[in-house]
Amino acid sequence: FGSSFRFAMAVRLSRRSKPALAMVAAAAVGMTGMWRLECSTGALIARCSPLSRPSLLRRFTLAAAAGAPASVSASAPISPLLDGAGQAVDVATLRGQSVALYFAGAWCPMCLSFTPKLKSFMEGQPGKRIVFVSSDFSEAEYAQHRASMGKDWLAVPYASDLEASLKRRFRVWGGREAGTFGTQRRSGLPTLVVVDLETGKEIQHLNAESEGFSVLAKWE
């Protein structure tokens, strides 16, 4: 195929992972290069100098493996979910309730302040549920953090592929996780993302990191 066709296909495929950043390899008018694009807009962020074809292919492969968001299909349920005893919960049992993913870590001072307030808020909200997405750095920290939360709160499995993919999908993680997830995030910790668990689609993004406890008034 011609170089223009290959470039067009690379851009088209990269946009499937929006709004994450992607590295796109292309050959245009006899010149091989690397383009860094914002996939939600297609805007060019940076272009590397021309590379040899083998080097380009290797760098593109490494970039894709390191930076591409893990797959969380917009048409697939967000599961598995665990209750406080570590038992799996059927997503269908939460149908009709408003469910928020709660991104937090015990090392985060704002999270330690926000979680007790969120817990008190949830006691008067029978139609709302919390699913904890951990940013804790050890299983012991996770268990201690989990124990401080509401008894009916759910969680995604600790250090699971699902946990990482949700952070990438909704672009929410802690600053100390930048080495893993990068810096292109919408918000840090704590953050709530109201979702439809059965479809994986976002309904609301509640940035408690910047708005504090008052953000809960926006939870519809």
Side-chain angles (χ1 to χ4, degrees):
F1 295 103
S3 59
S4 296
F5 176 82
R6 290 197 298 271
F7 179 70
M9 287 301 295
V11 172
R12 180 175 296 179
L13 289 172
S14 72
R15 286 188 174 183
R16 290 187 178 183
S17 64
K18 70 179 183 181
L21 291 173
M23 297 295 290
V24 178
V29 197
M31 181 171 64
T32 303
M34 185 80 76
W35 283 262
R36 190 172 187 224
L37 303 178
E38 169 56 54
C39 290
S40 61
T41 63
L44 177 65
I45 296 174
R47 181 187 178 283
C48 302
S49 58
L51 304 167
S52 66
R53 290 181 186 275
S55 175
L56 174 65
L57 179 60
R58 180 175 180 274
R59 294 192 189 186
F60 175 64
T61 302
L62 291 175
S71 174
V72 180
S73 173
S75 61
I78 295 175
S79 65
L81 302 179
L82 306 178
D83 63 17
Q87 300 299 308
V89 174
D90 186 351
V91 170
T93 63
L94 301 175
R95 191 174 295 148
Q97 296 184 298
S98 181
V99 180
L101 304 176
Y102 178 44
F103 296 84
W107 52 268
C108 164
M110 291 184 67
C111 297
L112 294 180
S113 174
F114 184 80
T115 297
K117 296 175 182 177
L118 177 59
K119 186 176 178 180
S120 296
F121 170 82
M122 292 299 295
E123 290 173 356
Q125 303 291 331
K128 291 180 168 64
R129 297 295 295 272
I130 292 289
V131 175
F132 173 45
V133 182
S134 173
S135 285
D136 297 302
F137 289 111
S138 72
E139 197 160 2
E141 288 181 3
Y142 165 80
Q144 185 175 6
H145 192 190
R146 184 91 167 85
S148 71
M149 298 179 175
K151 293 182 179 180
D152 64 338
W153 292 14
L154 306 177
V156 302
Y158 175 70
S160 62
D161 289 341
L162 176 61
E163 177 186 283
S165 66
L166 289 173
K167 292 176 184 181
R168 289 190 173 100
R169 174 175 175 77
F170 299 110
R171 293 168 59 200
V172 177
W173 55 81
R176 290 177 62 185
E177 297 175 287
T180 300
F181 299 106
T183 59
Q184 300 297 324
R185 59 180 184 174
R186 286 193 297 172
S187 60
L189 309 179
T191 287
L192 295 106
V193 178
V194 182
V195 296
D196 183 327
L197 289 177
E198 294 189 277
T199 65
K201 293 182 179 179
E202 178 180 321
I203 298 172
Q204 285 183 281
H205 175 257
L206 304 174
N207 187 351
E209 180 191 33
S210 64
E211 299 185 48
F213 180 69
S214 64
V215 78
L216 294 176
K218 298 180 180 180
W219 185 352
E220 300 174 353

